[in-house]
Amino acid sequence: MANVKEIKKKIEGEAWKKAIDKTVKDIQKKITINGFRKGKAPIPTVIKEYGQNNIWLDAADTLIQSAYEEVMEENKEVEIVTRPDATISAMSDEYVEFLFTLTLRPDIKLGEYKKLGVKKEKVEVTDEEVATSLESMRKRYAEVVIKEGKVADGDTTIIDFEGFKDGVPFDGGKAENYSLTIGSNTFIPGFEEQMIGMSKGEEKEIQVTFPEDYHAEDLKGAAVTFKVKVNEIKETKVPELDEEFFEDLGMEGINSEESLKEELKKTIEARKTHEIENKFIDEVLDKAIANMEIEIPHQMIHDELDRMIEQYSENLKMQGITLEQYYQFTSSNEQVLKEEMHPEAEKRVHARFLLEEIAKEEKITIAPQDVDEEIKKLTEEYKMTEEEFLKLCGGREMIEYDMKMRKAIEILKDNN
């Protein structure tokens, strides 16, 4: 492939001999051979026991980093986009030869990236959206209280029940003090509806039919009877929009329904603005990428997938879940996850090359003082020292690079 360069690096003579001798001596110190004290076995015996080929492999491991550094120094004029792959291409008592495969920056033909005809949606917030948000907020502050009276839709009931098929109790059909919210549709179809109107202490027989796709074979499509007793009824009390509710919110300047609605409208507007902006950027990027001619190196996609999975793993950890647990829960594996993420990984790599090429075309530069200000702003935002922050984000060069990419995105946006 045009974007791959293979380089062979041979290490021979005294350098290879020294590596082998040191490796043998290191092995001699730690290997245990019957008939000899540890570290005292003769060299020929050590070589025979450990294996000549294994010794060469271990010796090669000690030299590969220096060989890699030499290759990188010799090819510093070439733009390499992934860490070179290294293998041993040949090996003997006389020499070792490494094969380094360098993935080079591909040729890029930047197509049209201005006047792409992408229209940004207008931000509109309806009264219905504000009302829905207000109701959602009220429900978050709702209280569940004991109810006197009859079971109604939305109530939470505490019940005892036992199920019978043909007059005989069936496995898994019995429970005591079971919490069931009417209207949640968590029980067999028809069960919850028949509880409406029952009172505390009331007992009732409920007739239902199990679905044909029910997991228990002997209950699929079966007509059964449940004996049910209501032990307790609870209802959700949604707060009124009164002075007490506004005080509970603790939101500055919010003391009436009108002021709360205005604040909710601003929140919805900000969220929608952010969503529309992101959608607009995505659409602009998609169109500009489609106009670009490039052959993406496969290794770059693989590297991006590895980064995405690592980030996904970190996000799961924040929720108290490991990646292995996620695979168990979803009956998947790393390969399945990579296949799901592949389109996004491919798009990210394309977008990276697009923005870098736009930055070159538009001659985007970032002044050192602007980088300084950005670092200062971010260290204050994340409450870190400059040293800690730069170590975490990859250094000053990465901050400058990120600022260039953001300017390239602005050019895309402003010209569409």
Side-chain angles (χ1 to χ4, degrees):
M1 292 176 65
N3 58 2
V4 171
K5 181 179 181 180
E6 292 186 340
I7 298 172
K8 289 183 177 180
K9 190 75 176 176
K10 183 183 282 189
I11 299 174
E12 54 190 337
E14 192 63 24
W16 179 232
K17 184 178 182 303
K18 280 184 179 179
I20 291 174
D21 290 345
K22 184 179 184 306
T23 299
V24 171
K25 287 175 183 176
D26 289 343
I27 294 168
Q28 183 187 35
K29 291 175 186 176
K30 61 186 181 183
I31 196 170
T32 301
I33 300 175
N34 290 337
F36 300 95
R37 284 183 296 153
K38 190 172 183 178
K40 299 299 182 182
I43 294 296
T45 306
V46 171
I47 294 173
K48 183 179 179 182
E49 181 73 18
Y50 196 75
Q52 183 67 70
N53 201 62
N54 290 330
I55 289 169
W56 290 342
L57 287 170
D58 285 4
D61 280 344
T62 67
L63 296 172
I64 196 166
Q65 181 60 32
S66 59
Y68 165 76
E69 290 169 2
E70 286 181 25
V71 167
M72 294 301 287
E73 179 62 28
E74 291 164 1
N75 292 272
K76 60 184 178 183
E77 78 288 350
V78 177
E79 190 170 356
I80 301 168
V81 292
T82 65
R83 181 177 174 85
D85 184 42
T87 57
I88 297 171
S89 57
M91 190 169 58
S92 73
D93 201 36
E94 301 296 324
Y95 68 91
V96 63
E97 185 179 74
F98 298 109
L99 176 64
F100 290 94
T101 304
L102 279 57
T103 303
L104 312 180
R105 181 182 179 84
D107 294 329
I108 303 169
K109 186 177 179 183
L110 192 61
E112 182 59 65
Y113 60 90
K114 296 179 179 179
K115 299 178 182 177
L116 297 174
V118 179
K119 300 296 182 185
K120 187 191 290 190
E121 295 175 22
K122 290 183 179 180
V123 180
E124 294 179 353
V125 180
T126 65
D127 291 342
E128 288 76 16
E129 287 173 318
V130 174
T132 299
S133 181
L134 178 59
E135 191 60 25
S136 177
M137 176 176 277
R138 290 177 66 203
K139 285 179 179 178
R140 287 200 299 274
Y141 282 82
E143 292 182 305
V144 178
V145 297
I146 301 297
K147 175 183 177 180
E148 300 296 333
K150 298 183 182 297
V151 174
D153 191 27
D155 288 347
T156 298
T157 58
I158 308 300
I159 61 173
D160 297 339
F161 65 82
E162 185 172 14
F164 299 84
K165 178 187 175 186
D166 299 327
V168 179
F170 55 84
D171 290 341
K174 182 178 181 179
E176 293 181 354
N177 291 320
Y178 183 88
S179 179
L180 176 64
T181 299
I182 307 303
S184 63
N185 298 317
T186 55
F187 235 59
I188 303 156
F191 186 98
E192 294 170 26
E193 292 86 344
Q194 293 182 59
M195 284 192 60
I196 293 175
M198 292 182 71
S199 303
K200 179 180 178 180
E202 184 179 344
E203 297 183 21
K204 181 179 180 179
E205 289 190 358
I206 291 177
Q207 319 288 332
V208 291
T209 301
F210 276 95
E212 292 292 343
D213 60 353
Y214 193 67
H215 62 85
E217 196 65 38
D218 60 328
L219 292 174
K220 286 183 176 180
V224 298
T225 299
F226 280 95
K227 292 182 178 179
V228 182
K229 179 185 177 184
V230 176
N231 297 325
E232 196 169 61
I233 307 170
K234 299 178 182 179
E235 64 179 336
T236 302
K237 285 283 189 182
V238 178
E240 297 295 328
L241 294 171
D242 53 21
E243 186 178 340
E244 184 181 352
F245 176 66
F246 299 128
E247 286 179 1
D248 288 342
L249 288 178
M251 296 169 66
E252 189 176 346
I254 305 302
N255 52 20
S256 66
E257 182 177 345
E258 289 71 25
S259 59
L260 178 55
K261 281 184 174 180
E262 190 59 37
E263 186 64 28
L264 290 174
K265 184 176 181 179
K266 289 178 184 176
T267 302
I268 296 169
E269 193 171 52
R271 173 178 55 77
K272 280 193 162 187
T273 299
H274 180 71
E275 290 171 353
I276 288 171
E277 182 72 6
N278 285 342
K279 183 183 176 185
F280 175 64
I281 291 171
D282 277 347
E283 289 176 355
V284 169
L285 283 171
D286 285 342
K287 277 209 167 185
I289 286 169
N291 293 339
M292 178 176 64
E293 292 181 22
I294 184 174
E295 185 179 352
I296 297 291
H298 296 306
Q299 189 57 45
M300 288 197 73
I301 306 295
H302 296 154
D303 290 351
E304 185 63 35
L305 280 169
D306 289 340
R307 277 191 290 271
M308 289 173 68
I309 286 179
E310 185 178 349
Q311 183 60 56
Y312 194 68
S313 176
E314 290 302 314
N315 291 342
L316 287 173
K317 283 180 185 176
M318 292 171 67
Q319 301 172 46
I321 303 170
T322 67
L323 195 56
E324 290 69 29
Q325 287 172 327
Y326 169 80
Y327 291 145
Q328 290 175 358
F329 297 155
T330 57
S331 300
S332 62
N333 52 46
E334 184 175 298
Q335 186 57 38
V336 171
L337 189 57
K338 281 188 173 182
E339 287 173 5
E340 291 174 357
M341 290 180 169
H342 193 276
E344 176 61 22
E346 196 167 2
K347 179 177 177 177
R348 287 186 185 186
V349 176
H350 273 92
R352 191 182 311 156
F353 280 124
L354 171 75
L355 295 174
E356 287 174 357
E357 207 63 21
I358 290 172
K360 286 181 184 178
E361 183 73 17
E362 299 287 338
K363 297 180 174 56
I364 295 174
T365 57
I366 308 295
Q369 59 267 30
D370 291 338
V371 179
D372 292 336
E373 288 177 12
E374 181 74 2
I375 292 170
K376 183 181 178 184
K377 183 186 81 172
L378 292 170
T379 52
E380 289 174 356
E381 182 179 333
Y382 291 106
K383 296 179 174 56
M384 300 169 75
T385 66
E386 183 175 317
E387 184 180 357
E388 289 170 338
F389 176 74
L390 291 177
K391 185 177 179 181
L392 182 68
C393 73
R396 182 185 177 87
E397 295 78 11
M398 283 305 299
I399 299 297
E400 183 180 353
Y401 174 84
D402 184 60
M403 293 175 75
K404 273 188 180 181
M405 296 304 98
R406 278 185 275 148
K407 277 200 171 185
I409 289 174
E410 289 303 316
I411 288 172
L412 269 176
K413 288 164 50 182
D414 292 344
N415 287 277
N416 282 280

